[in-house]
Amino acid sequence: MQVATSSGKYSVKHYPDTVKEWKQEGNYFYFYTTETILEIRVISDKIVRFRYAADGTFQRDFSYATSEKMEDAPICFEIKEFEEVFQIDTDAIKIFIAKDNLRLTITDKEGRVINQDEMGFHWQSYLQKGGKIVYCSKMIQEGECFYGLGDKPTDLNLRGKRLENYGTDAYGYHKDTDPLYRNIPFYYGLHHGIGYGIFFDNSFRTIFDFGEEREDVQSFWARGGEMNYYFIYGPELLQVAEAYTKITGTPELPPLWALGYHQCRWSYYPDTRVKEIAAEFRKRQIPCDVIYLDIDYMEGFRCFTWSKEGFPDPAGLIKELSAQGFKVVVIIDPGIKVDPNYAIYQEGVKNDYFCKRADGALMEGDVWPGKCVFPDYTNPRVREWWSSLFKSLVDTGVRGVWNDMNEPAVFELGTFPEDVRHDYDGEQVSHRKAHNVYGHLMSKSTAAGMKKYLMPNRPFLITRSCYAGVQRWSSVWTGDNVSSWEHLWLASVQCQRLAVSGISFTGSDIGGFIGEPDGELYTRWIQLATFHPLMRTHSASNETGFNQEPWSFGSKYEFVVKKFIQLRYQLLPYLYTTFWQNAAYGTPMLRPLAFVAQHDPQTHNCTHEFMFGDALLISHVSEAGMKEKEVYLPTGRWYYYWNDKPYEGGQLVKIATPIEEMPLFVKAGAVVPNYPKLQYTGQAPIEEMTLQVFYDDQPAHSTMYEDAGEHYGYKNGQYNVIRFKQASDKQQFHLKKKFHGNYEATYKKHRVCVHGLPFTPTEYVVDGKVFKLNARNFAVGVVKVVLDREFEDLIMR
Ligand code: MIG
């Protein structure tokens, strides 16, 4: 059926008509209308893919987002035909397909609507550019909230907004700038306590409307490609987040050093300046693991070269830094300088590796080196070549790579014109289809090269642009932000949003990239970033000579900044465990409160509070001169980290915010493992692992993961998972511990520090043996004992 709308011949919208035929092939179902075919693939009880061949022919079933590991899990389902609908049941949901128009209604087992089509799938010919504009519209349910979509710098709840994905170099972006650098076409809906997700796997420009155009309609569309989306049922939002990574994958574990503190700048130049910075960290005993080299380390911004003047002996420099415990990460951009005497340019031209315009001319554009050409990373042959270029960097001692400018960014033009051609793994497409995967595939081939040459060490990658699924090989940062209090809030929201969009390994430029923070803003930013998976200071004030290092703001601020970086290092075993949860199960490392307590509507619009892992709740100090802050605590019992004061959740609490502290709470019952003080990871073998245990009278479970923090031994069982159960009551504290694994940890002792006991114990019992507690076991508010690592049962009474 064709319905012409008022705006003329380009706007004829096609809607599917009556189902004429249907068939089932295994877990695939096909429904045929006059023009359109709907394919339904039941992937698991809770994940179903809907794909539409608008006018009867499916396109190649191909995606740069999906993980090689995705499989259709053994599933139970059945189809029934009724007079007006087909009904497909899985163990978790029912899908109704209207015979009249293919419109879908998805309910849970109890028949409660999860998601329902409005017009559902429809399409329009894109006469000017070819192909079709493919749409899907659905009803917004009462009270529905929306989350996800990657790095959008706006409120967490997207209700009432329209947003799009078309990777953009958004220098100095601000609240509500759209689009930004990353392209993650995945969102969540939440209503009546029911959470679900929709992943629209289409690499063209995609647009999402959450009731901006029409209050009660959500819709998404793309200017080409196919309507191809995954529906994911929760009902818990965290379950949706985990299921999304069944489709798009999870990361491998990073080297532990990548969870330490990173110092970056545009640019530390020359080598002597880099050494000075490194020496300053060690002299002031501020922990740091990573130093970055921005574009000036190259010779005339030629990738894979070193400035003869500034960095005459890169291998020597890196060796010296590594002796002090630093790893070096270097930037690599996609722009290859047009220079007949430059080997990489020559090789690329000779082998036809660079992108071309529609009529065959090279795609040329200015970036830092002047006139440049750009590898076509959508060509597997080019990806392989690009990977091979990282051998020289690894041979020089580089341990990580930073991919920038890969939206792709081009001066003057902004990005590539749409006519640029791309291989797209054999498909031959225009930039319209390849734009949103350009940086994604650049970072993919960078990661493949780094992994290969660094073996057996683990690589570290950071990229600015990407598509869904980048978490399998890279971290990201939030791009060119500004030194302002608004941007501190944006950093928090963006990192939370990225985390629930599959990309947990993320952080912002601490202190702001553009502009100059004062000591207070820098310190508050460090405090927030202590609880971001990637903790990196970066700034661009190279013209004014402004410094943005932990000691740049005077001793009062240096003291606090150091205290928080030290806290970061103490928390490493907890952060690493949280990373492992993300790697193993896809659980986001950062969890907005709506994802922690979705049944409490008070959490739905919270943007300040979030959880890092299972135990810590953070709310950053968000204004200059702030003396106290209101923090919303979800139901349950909490301790204030800085003084162990207990709080009941389900309410707003007022917290004083002196500069040395930020609102930080620990969930009652939790076990938080701590390292001793370190200047850098691997500085010395860990001899004692502290367990900070927070009393609760309800049963509570915690987990700790550990491995070598380097290499791939963990893939052969060289890791430990330690499960804790607290089973305390009002008279006694009781902690049980179960150990699984084959990793030989360096430490032999646990120091167990018990917080918040409501009674004063006189003795403790370790695996049945009774000991007296004496004065040495008591510190302010804490009872501590040192036990053999093997202990399995601890009672204090
Ligand atoms: O046009 O390499 O976002 O982090 O320092 C600026 C120089 C290019 C943008 C990145 C920023 C980096 C800078 N780059």
Side-chain angles (χ1 to χ4, degrees):
M1 176 175 47
Q2 299 197 357
V3 179
T5 60
S6 54
S7 45
K9 65 174 178 177
Y10 297 124
S11 303
V12 177
K13 286 198 174 165
H14 298 244
Y15 298 83
D17 64 357
T18 325
V19 177
K20 306 281 186 298
E21 263 181 75
W22 69 278
K23 71 173 182 203
Q24 175 180 1
E25 284 172 5
N27 57 326
Y28 286 72
F29 297 88
Y30 296 88
F31 300 91
Y32 300 83
T33 68
T34 308
E35 281 187 316
T36 298
I37 310 169
L38 162 62
E39 178 194 89
I40 299 181
R41 169 177 165 205
V42 182
I43 295 171
S44 74
D45 288 345
K46 293 182 170 186
I47 307 177
V48 179
R49 185 175 77 159
F50 298 94
R51 199 169 157 232
Y52 297 83
D55 54 5
T57 314
F58 283 105
Q59 300 179 13
R60 177 171 69 147
D61 191 4
F62 177 81
S63 166
Y64 289 121
T66 50
S67 160
E68 309 74 51
K69 290 189 196 134
M70 175 166 93
E71 335 179 304
D72 296 6
I75 23 183
C76 276
F77 53 83
E78 56 173 346
I79 183 161
K80 294 178 212 147
E81 183 171 356
F82 297 98
E83 201 175 318
E84 289 175 358
V85 293
F86 295 96
Q87 177 183 342
I88 300 174
D89 286 7
T90 74
D91 272 357
I93 56 174
K94 300 177 201 240
I95 304 162
F96 300 90
I97 303 117
K99 286 184 171 175
D100 260 2
N101 49 25
L102 279 189
R103 287 187 201 153
L104 305 170
T105 301
I106 304 173
T107 75
D108 64 11
K109 290 280 277 190
E110 284 71 49
R112 294 182 304 169
V113 172
I114 307 168
N115 180 279
Q116 185 169 34
D117 278 351
E118 186 237 2
M119 300 306 270
F121 169 67
H122 49 289
W123 61 276
Q124 184 173 25
S125 286
Y126 198 172
L127 295 180
Q128 298 94 329
K129 302 204 169 162
K132 296 173 184 67
I133 307 177
V134 289
Y135 301 86
C136 185
S137 66
K138 293 168 171 289
M139 301 308 297
I140 292 181
Q141 303 299 321
E142 192 204 326
E144 188 157 5
C145 299
F146 297 96
Y147 304 98
L149 282 195
D151 61 355
K152 304 301 179 199
T154 190
D155 307 297
L156 275 172
N157 180 358
L158 301 172
R159 177 79 185 259
K161 297 180 195 292
R162 174 185 286 199
L163 298 141
E164 63 182 69
N165 292 317
Y166 199 69
T168 302
D169 176 6
Y171 179 85
Y173 64 90
H174 46 77
K175 181 167 188 283
D176 295 324
T177 301
D178 189 52
L180 286 198
Y181 306 88
R182 281 150 284 271
N183 315 297
I184 316 293
F186 166 56
Y187 72 92
Y188 297 80
L190 171 68
H191 61 86
H192 305 95
I194 304 173
Y196 67 90
I198 288 184
F199 170 42
F200 179 24
D201 188 6
N202 180 311
S203 69
F204 283 83
R205 183 189 293 266
T206 46
I207 300 144
F208 294 81
D209 190 301
F210 302 105
E212 199 250 14
E213 188 178 302
R214 283 180 293 154
E215 233 179 275
D216 55 354
V217 177
Q218 50 172 312
S219 57
F220 48 92
W221 63 96
R223 306 238 175 100
E226 219 167 54
M227 180 47 63
N228 168 26
Y229 71 89
Y230 296 81
F231 173 85
I232 306 166
Y233 172 57
E236 300 299 319
L237 292 172
L238 279 183
Q239 295 173 322
V240 178
E242 290 170 353
Y244 169 72
T245 67
K246 298 258 183 301
I247 304 167
T248 58
T250 60
E252 297 191 321
L253 286 166
L256 184 62
W257 57 261
L259 295 183
Y261 175 71
H262 301 220
Q263 183 67 40
C264 186
R265 160 153 201 114
W266 181 17
S267 299
Y268 288 128
Y269 182 95
D271 54 357
T272 49
R273 180 70 183 139
V274 182
K275 291 183 201 178
E276 261 169 45
I277 295 291
E280 207 62 33
F281 273 101
R282 296 298 177 247
K283 189 182 110 200
R284 293 173 189 266
Q285 304 205 319
I286 299 172
C288 181
D289 265 85
V290 195
I291 291 192
Y292 284 64
L293 302 182
D294 205 330
I295 48 178
D296 299 286
Y297 79 89
M298 303 179 218
E299 185 64 45
F301 306 118
R302 288 171 189 80
C303 292
F304 308 102
T305 67
W306 293 84
S307 156
K308 283 186 234 31
E309 225 184 280
F311 293 83
D313 177 20
L317 169 70
I318 296 178
K319 205 167 162 207
E320 199 178 317
L321 292 171
S322 100
Q324 300 168 60
F326 290 97
K327 307 288 190 287
V328 172
V329 173
V330 301
I331 197 166
I332 287 285
D333 289 353
I336 297 298
K337 187 176 175 68
V338 172
D339 170 0
N341 299 314
Y342 169 35
I344 308 242
Y345 171 77
Q346 292 165 352
E347 241 181 274
V349 168
K350 192 174 99 207
N351 296 301
D352 199 14
Y353 290 149
F354 299 126
C355 293
K356 290 187 175 149
R357 304 295 297 264
D359 299 315
L362 282 169
M363 163 60 217
E364 291 181 338
D366 274 24
V367 253
W368 295 107
K371 200 201 285 173
C372 281
V373 287
F374 304 84
D376 181 13
Y377 302 105
T378 72
N379 185 333
R381 211 164 53 85
V382 176
R383 288 201 295 274
E384 213 163 288
W385 168 66
W386 184 258
S387 293
S388 76
L389 300 176
F390 290 88
K391 178 160 194 312
S392 70
L393 287 178
V394 170
D395 288 346
T396 309
V398 169
R399 295 295 288 272
V401 172
W402 173 20
N403 281 162
D404 188 21
M405 303 290 279
N406 53 7
E407 292 69 30
V410 183
F411 298 162
E412 313 251 319
L413 293 171
T415 188
F416 291 2
E418 290 185 343
D419 70 280
V420 169
R421 307 293 302 160
H422 294 272
D423 181 69
Y424 213 92
D425 280 65
E427 211 170 287
Q428 308 305 329
V429 306
S430 84
H431 193 62
R432 295 198 308 120
K433 184 164 185 171
H435 179 86
N436 279 349
V437 296
Y438 188 82
H440 187 71
L441 297 171
M442 178 201 190
S443 64
K444 183 174 185 173
S445 78
T446 301
M450 288 302 287
K451 184 169 175 181
K452 176 169 170 199
Y453 299 115
L454 278 170
M455 197 60 85
N457 294 314
R458 304 177 192 169
F460 169 72
L461 265 294
I462 173 168
T463 182
R464 199 167 71 175
S465 192
C466 62
Y467 184 61
V470 75
Q471 66 270 11
R472 301 203 294 283
W473 55 78
S474 185
S475 69
V476 305
W477 87 106
T478 58
D480 293 344
N481 62 357
V482 181
S483 304
S484 71
W485 289 90
E486 180 181 80
H487 265 272
L488 179 59
W489 176 79
L490 284 180
S492 179
V493 172
Q494 288 183 281
C495 290
Q496 291 178 57
R497 191 194 305 292
L498 282 161
V500 300
S501 304
I503 308 171
S504 276
F505 202 3
T506 169
S508 66
D509 287 352
I510 298 170
F513 176 70
I514 300 159
E516 302 175 357
D518 61 14
E520 185 187 5
L521 176 58
Y522 182 74
T523 304
R524 294 308 194 185
W525 211 311
I526 280 279
Q527 292 176 341
L528 171 65
T530 300
F531 302 96
H532 282 166
L534 181 73
M535 186 184 190
R536 182 182 83 152
T537 293
H538 182 37
S539 80
S541 310
N542 43 0
E543 265 120 60
T544 61
F546 178 81
N547 291 318
Q548 201 158 307
E549 284 96 35
W551 53 85
S552 304
F553 304 93
S555 57
K556 173 178 144 197
Y557 294 113
E558 180 183 341
F559 175 81
V560 182
V561 167
K562 179 174 176 175
K563 168 176 156 178
F564 275 81
I565 300 180
Q566 284 174 337
L567 173 62
R568 168 83 176 196
Y569 278 73
Q570 267 171 21
L571 287 172
L572 277 175
Y574 173 76
L575 306 185
Y576 195 60
T577 296
T578 305
F579 205 115
W580 166 76
Q581 289 178 325
N582 179 247
Y585 308 111
T587 322
M589 296 175 72
L590 304 180
R591 302 167 198 166
L593 282 203
F595 283 64
V596 173
Q598 72 189 43
H599 299 281
D600 173 0
Q602 298 244 57
T603 64
H604 292 177
N605 292 305
C606 285
T607 58
H608 283 242
E609 296 84 3
F610 64 93
M611 290 196 71
F612 189 123
D614 294 336
L616 300 181
L617 185 144
I618 294 96
S619 179
H620 70 286
V621 176
S622 50
E623 285 164 31
M626 205 173 197
K627 296 270 178 317
E628 59 175 22
K629 187 174 188 192
E630 288 202 315
V631 177
Y632 187 73
L633 296 176
T635 34
R637 288 204 331 130
W638 302 86
Y639 290 96
Y640 194 52
Y641 183 82
W642 307 104
N643 61 13
D644 286 351
K645 190 175 162 199
Y647 286 88
E648 242 353 281
Q651 56 167 339
L652 272 171
V653 298
K654 269 211 176 95
I655 297 296
T657 53
I659 190 78
E660 319 75 51
E661 291 175 8
M662 81 183 300
L664 173 58
F665 294 82
V666 190
K667 201 173 187 170
V671 178
V672 180
N674 277 184
Y675 271 171
K677 278 195 177 162
L678 291 173
Q679 292 300 298
Y680 54 91
T681 60
Q683 182 186 16
I686 304 299
E687 278 171 1
E688 190 177 273
M689 179 74 78
T690 299
L691 303 175
Q692 307 285 359
V693 190
F694 294 81
Y695 168 84
D696 197 7
D697 58 10
Q698 308 293 313
H701 297 266
S702 300
T703 304
M704 174 180 153
Y705 172 87
E706 61 185 0
D707 66 19
E710 214 7 306
H711 316 310
Y712 292 92
Y714 76 94
K715 295 203 169 178
N716 299 316
Q718 310 281 298
Y719 66 90
N720 303 324
V721 176
I722 302 152
R723 308 261 179 208
F724 299 98
K725 179 173 183 196
Q726 201 185 134
S728 307
D729 58 32
K730 298 226 155 43
Q731 281 79 42
Q732 72 167 22
F733 164 83
H734 191 177
L735 182 69
K736 300 179 193 176
K737 170 168 155 285
K738 272 222 170 77
F739 178 97
H740 311 266
N742 295 305
Y743 169 64
E744 201 49 61
T746 52
Y747 62 92
K748 300 279 174 277
K749 298 281 179 195
H750 277 303
R751 176 178 300 261
V752 183
C753 301
V754 185
H755 301 250
L757 287 182
F759 54 88
T760 306
T762 55
E763 58 181 24
Y764 64 107
V765 190
V766 184
D767 297 331
K769 270 207 202 136
V770 185
F771 302 87
K772 284 276 161 258
L773 286 164
N774 58 46
R776 276 180 305 132
N777 298 109
F778 291 87
V780 188
V782 181
V783 189
K784 36 181 191 168
V785 292
V786 175
L787 309 179
D788 283 343
R789 185 166 78 111
E790 285 79 33
F791 89 91
E792 289 185 344
D793 196 280
L794 171 67
I795 290 171
M796 285 185 184
R797 59 191 182 202

